[in-house]
Amino acid sequence: MIGSRTLATAALLLLMCAALSSCRGGKSPAAPGLRDARLAPCPASPNCVSSDAADGEHRIAPLQLAATPDEAWQAVRQLVAELPRTQVISETPDYLHAECRTLLGFVDDLEVQLRPAENIIAVRSASRLGYSDLGVNRKRVENLRAALIRRGMVR
């Protein structure tokens, strides 16, 4: 026989799961896209990193090109498309926006922008929901950087 405490705990967990599930894939607090030829600013919450951010909490280094802009851009596009649970949403010759789903089904927005005049690829990765991302967005960008370094595309 199930005790009342066990039943109450199970009911609470079920309620929490239902609440979280209803939030998955929500609308981005700062919609992805370019604003004055720059990536969207990060929200105040610590679940976003951007090479365009000025503050230390959100700032991440851009991808410094070590190959031609065309070669590096092609490699970035390929690597982003190959990320697990990732779907490319929009792409232009110098900008790409992808949705990355976490194992729990939450959606993060990943953006890259080629800036050949600066010899960089700007990058932004942000959670759509919640406050903390436990470093997932920063780790995603650093994993992308590491893969590009291994290919000789960035330094």
Side-chain angles (χ1 to χ4, degrees), residues 37-88:
R38 308 295 279 184
L39 298 171
C42 284
S45 56
N47 58 3
C48 174
V49 294
S50 174
S51 58
D52 286 345
D55 64 290
E57 182 178 29
H58 297 106
R59 176 85 179 149
I60 196 162
L63 306 173
Q64 295 287 334
L65 302 183
T68 69
D70 289 339
E71 291 171 328
W73 186 244
Q74 182 178 350
V76 166
R77 291 174 44 234
Q78 178 186 1
L79 287 169
V80 168
E82 292 173 356
L83 289 172
R85 299 173 307 283
T86 297
Q87 179 181 2
V88 174

Side-chain angles (χ1 to χ4, degrees), residues 3-57:
S4 61
R5 178 176 244 169
T6 303
L7 191 57
T9 301
L12 180 60
L13 286 172
L14 185 61
L15 182 62
M16 288 173 49
C17 286
L20 287 172
S21 294
S22 67
C23 294
R24 292 187 304 179
K27 186 178 179 188
S28 179
L34 300 176
R35 295 179 187 42
D36 297 323
R38 308 295 279 184
L39 298 171
C42 284
S45 56
N47 58 3
C48 174
V49 294
S50 174
S51 58
D52 286 345
D55 64 290
E57 182 178 29

Side-chain angles (χ1 to χ4, degrees), residues 85-137:
R85 299 173 307 283
T86 297
Q87 179 181 2
V88 174
I89 300 302
S90 64
E91 186 176 353
T92 68
D94 63 354
Y95 172 82
L96 181 142
H97 168 226
E99 291 180 347
C100 305
R101 291 199 179 270
T102 67
L103 288 173
L104 295 176
F106 294 99
V107 178
D108 296 340
D109 293 295
L110 174 62
E111 300 174 273
V112 289
Q113 180 193 25
L114 177 64
R115 297 182 186 163
E118 299 173 50
N119 205 40
I120 66 165
I121 295 175
V123 63
R124 179 182 186 271
S125 187
S127 300
R128 287 190 182 174
L129 298 172
Y131 183 76
S132 175
D133 66 350
L134 303 174
V136 169
N137 286 294

